[in-house]
Structure formats: structure tokens, C-alpha cells
Amino acid sequence: MTQSLLHRILDHANRADPYPIYEELRRTPVHHEADGPYVISTYYEIRSLLHDPRISSDARNLASNAAGPPAGAPPEESTLPPGFLKLDPPEHDRLRRMTNRPFGPPHSPHRVDGMRGELRDIVTGLIDGIGEPDRIDLVEQFSYPFPVTVICRLLGVPREDEPRFHTWADTLAASLDPDPDADPADRGKGAQDARMQLGMYLAGLIEERRKNPGEDMISQLATAKGDDGPMTTMELLSTAALLLIAGHETTVNLITNGMLTLLRNPDALRRLRADPRLAVPIVEELLRFEPPVQLVPQRTTLADIEVRGVTIPKGASVWLVLAAGNRDPRRFADPDRFDPDRPDIQHLGLGSGIHSCFGAPLARLETQFALAELARRLENPRLLEDPPPYRQNAVLRGPRRLHLTCDGIRP
């Protein structure tokens, strides 16, 4: 039996190259199957909806007769409330504003930029520790430990506790995937258990930081006395959990997708090795060409909305396929070509509007450092398998392993 287009998007077998399916999807900019979500795949329509106040991120606004709870909606019995990523104004704005105080401008303008030296040291240490260059798993040995180490240090998680987040992060990331073949009860319980364990750990850490605050973000959030008042304990737990998980999952994929793309485009890799400043435009083109977040499946309409002649009813589930929009030929010339010299890269790779990626400055800087140093230090790197095995996740798309070899590792 022929799979529906929606099932083909989600099919694990299509993770290695979903772009032909996205091209087919764009022929019907508002795709809707019986009892399914409304799927938007074209650039201008996605960007417009990301800025439309009639689109909600709060799962509680989904109509009871809509196509099930959006992917990633917290279990009903969850011990943690939704993070601000899954809230609407004014709750979203207040929590995001409070979280931003210790992270970025205007209150902490040098937080990310001041981490440059530490980022460089972490990258150097990880590459030094790769060992034998004949078979490297870039995900296990570099792409995963780098952003996990960074976010844990930023938030103030003790280094010895960093490994505990691997299982929690994988479970919660998997819960974002709208897999039609998965048992929703099993997956919901797994996500609920992971959130509960993470919440219990963070509760202890927050209590300790309230008594003995440091310079880390958890300390600053736990002791904040700004115009918005302090966060409640539950808000603080939910925000810390969101930052820990979201703070590394997308960056793991961005770094891995980035190195895979450079190895497939050796001229770009040679140019980056010769001039590390090219890391900036390369990362922007990567965010368009191979975005780590492929689709946003947890949006709901607060009113009837007309998109390209189709009326999406109030309370409907809406999926925004960012990766399809990023390769929309109506917006980008020759969109299936990786081009670091592309003059205009207003991509959707980090979202847009009020829910644009909170950690975008850090993710960009991490990936720039990572790819520039990998290009410089790995001598004649080559892929050992192409395509590599991919994670079974249609939302957060990236290789599960990236095996490569090189002739040596430069000092």
C-alpha cells in the first residue's frame, strides 16, 4: 500500500535524504490529509505564520477533534510544566525575558562572547583526545560531548554529572518525533520518567545554588530579583530543563551535519582550512542547507487562518517544515546547492519570530569553532560510510554516527 506523503516525511527510512519528499510537498503548500495536521512547506508562508499571533505554541489550545496532541506535548501527568518554548504571550514573554537576563543583551551582553577562550579549550581537548585517526566516530568523540560540556558549564552542572544527561536528553528528544508507528503511551511514559528524574536532579541543584550561588546561570536565575519578580520553583525547574536539553541537542546535529556537508564538498573544506573566518558564512549556509530542526510540529491556530487559499480552522494542528522552506526555489536560487558564498541567507534554520532559537548566538559560535578546528587539524579526512546511519527523528535530524578516517591529527 502506498504511503501517504505525511508518513513518508516521518518514515525512518527517509532520514538520510528527506529533501525529494519536501520538494514534492511544496507542490501543495498547505498539505492536509484526513484526520491529520495542516503541513506548511513553503518559505514565505512558514515565515509569515512564525510571526502570526494567531498561531499558538500552547498544546492546550488544540481542539479536541484535531489530529491528536502535537508532537512533544508534555504528558498530562508530567511533573514539570511546559517550558516557555511551549507557551504563548504573556507567560512566554515574561519567562523568556527573565531567562535572557543572565544570558545575553542588554543585561549580560558579554556572556556568550566571553566564552570564546573556554570553547577553544574544550574543542582542543576533544580533538587531542580522539586517539587513533584511522576510525573516528565524530558524534561520540566530538559532536556530542562538546555542546553538552558547554551547556553544563554555562548552567553550573558539576562536570561529574554531565554523563547523566545523555539518557535523559535522548529520551526527551525522541519524544519530539511525531512517529506514527510508536506507541504514544510507552513514549509518553518514557518522556515523563525522564522529565521526572531530570526535575528531581535539578531541584537539588537549584536548592544548593540558592544557598551558595555562583556565577552560573542556574545561580542567577534562582536568586534573580528583577522587574518581573523571581521565578517560581516549578518555572525555574522547567526553564533549566529546557535549556539543558535544547542547549545541546540542536548543536550536536548542526556540527555533525556540518562536517558531513563539508566532507561532501571538499572545496569548501579546503577553503575553511585556509581561512577560518569562512566559518561564519559556512555555518549560516549550513543552517539553510541542513538545518538541525527540520520541522516544528507543535503549533495550533487560535482562529481560522487562510493560507494560499486554504482555510485552516481554529484549533487545528499545524506543522511548519522549516527544512522544506529553506530549499524553496521561490526564495533561494539553486536551493539544493551548498554555497557558502550565497549573498542572501535569511534562512529558517533557527526559527523566526518570538520563538526564534533562544541559544542561537551560542550555537553559532560553537559550530564555527568546531568546524574551523576540525578542518584545520584533521589531515585529509574522508567518510567511511555515506550516507551514515541517522537518528530516527524527523524533527531533530542528524547522523547517529559519523565514521570518518584521516591521515593524522595536526597539533
Side-chain angles (χ1 to χ4, degrees):
M1 183 162 124
T2 303
Q3 278 188 319
S4 72
L5 193 55
L6 186 61
H7 275 72
R8 287 169 60 203
I9 293 171
L10 303 177
D11 192 333
H12 300 156
N14 295 321
R15 291 286 68 74
D17 186 12
Y19 294 102
I21 301 170
Y22 296 160
E23 181 180 3
E24 186 177 346
L25 186 66
R26 283 193 300 268
R27 295 172 193 161
T28 309
V30 183
H31 181 84
H32 180 60
E33 299 171 8
D35 299 323
Y38 288 79
V39 183
I40 316 298
S41 58
T42 46
Y43 178 90
Y44 292 107
E45 286 67 35
I46 292 171
R47 185 174 175 83
S48 175
L49 290 174
L50 286 171
H51 289 261
D52 195 322
R54 297 172 298 172
I55 293 287
S56 169
S57 295
D58 193 329
R60 293 168 293 189
N61 289 315
L62 190 70
S64 59
N65 62 344
E76 291 181 9
E77 303 294 328
S78 175
T79 54
L80 293 179
F84 61 77
L85 188 66
K86 297 176 183 177
L87 294 175
D88 296 335
E91 294 89 350
H92 163 274
D93 297 352
R94 178 179 63 86
L95 289 173
R96 181 163 175 145
R97 187 166 56 240
M98 294 172 72
T99 308
N100 196 60
R101 290 182 69 90
F103 183 75
H107 303 288
S108 305
H110 305 296
R111 166 71 81 174
V112 172
D113 193 63
M115 296 182 70
R116 286 177 178 270
E118 190 169 8
L119 296 180
R120 188 176 290 109
D121 290 345
I122 297 170
V123 167
T124 297
L126 288 171
I127 297 177
D128 287 346
I130 283 176
E132 293 299 321
D134 56 326
R135 187 174 180 84
I136 300 167
D137 180 356
L138 195 76
V139 176
E140 190 70 25
Q141 296 175 262
F142 185 85
S143 301
Y144 183 83
F146 176 35
V148 167
T149 300
V150 171
I151 195 64
C152 285
R153 292 189 188 179
L154 181 67
L155 293 176
V157 173
R159 190 170 304 184
E160 62 269 19
D161 291 340
E162 291 174 11
R164 303 176 65 179
F165 291 96
H166 197 157
T167 301
W168 295 335
D170 284 353
T171 301
L172 292 170
S175 73
L176 291 172
D177 186 18
D179 182 357
D181 300 321
D183 185 324
D186 287 348
R187 188 167 57 174
K189 184 171 189 315
Q192 180 180 341
D193 290 346
R195 284 170 65 86
M196 182 170 62
Q197 293 172 37
L198 179 59
M200 290 173 63
Y201 172 82
L202 290 172
L205 187 61
I206 289 167
E207 185 60 28
E208 193 275 328
R209 292 303 156 80
R210 279 178 170 153
K211 295 176 182 175
N212 301 293
E215 295 300 316
D216 55 88
M217 277 190 67
I218 287 182
S219 293
Q220 291 174 294
L221 290 172
T223 58
K225 299 289 193 299
D227 294 340
D228 292 294
M231 285 187 185
T232 67
T233 297
M234 293 304 288
E235 288 173 342
L236 185 51
L237 282 171
S238 182
T239 299
L242 170 64
L243 295 177
L244 275 167
I245 304 305
H248 75 273
E249 279 291 337
T250 53
T251 312
V252 172
N253 287 342
L254 184 56
I255 292 171
T256 310
N257 289 337
M259 195 61 189
L260 175 61
T261 301
L262 289 173
L263 290 167
R264 289 171 170 170
N265 294 269
D267 183 60
L269 182 60
R270 284 192 294 270
R271 290 177 61 195
L272 178 58
R273 183 180 300 120
D275 184 1
R277 293 174 299 178
L278 285 175
V280 174
I282 280 174
V283 168
E284 293 310 304
E285 173 68 344
L286 281 170
L287 285 163
R288 183 198 70 82
F289 186 75
E290 286 278 29
V293 179
Q294 295 272 295
L295 64 116
V296 178
Q298 65 269 17
R299 294 291 190 268
T300 307
T301 46
L302 297 176
D304 290 358
I305 299 177
E306 184 175 323
V307 179
R308 295 286 287 269
V310 175
T311 298
I312 303 176
K314 178 181 178 180
S317 175
V318 176
W319 292 7
L320 306 175
V321 189
L322 307 180
N326 273 347
R327 295 203 187 188
D328 187 343
R330 293 171 59 232
R331 176 60 183 82
F332 298 102
D334 198 5
D336 293 322
R337 182 168 65 93
F338 177 70
D339 181 11
D341 299 316
R342 193 177 293 276
D344 178 17
I345 320 179
Q346 293 184 13
H347 55 74
L348 302 169
L350 295 171
S352 191
I354 65 169
H355 289 290
S356 61
C357 178
F358 179 84
L362 181 58
R364 283 184 163 104
L365 195 59
E366 287 177 288
T367 308
Q368 291 162 14
F369 270 116
L371 296 181
E373 277 299 283
L374 288 169
R376 183 182 74 82
R377 296 194 60 187
L378 299 187
E379 192 173 332
N380 189 26
R382 289 98 65 196
L383 288 168
L384 289 175
E385 53 183 336
D386 191 10
Y390 274 77
R391 299 167 66 179
Q392 296 184 352
N393 195 314
V395 175
L396 299 171
R397 176 177 170 269
R400 180 165 38 88
R401 297 281 182 263
L402 188 65
H403 289 121
L404 53 92
T405 186
C406 63
D407 296 339
I409 299 178
R410 299 180 181 92

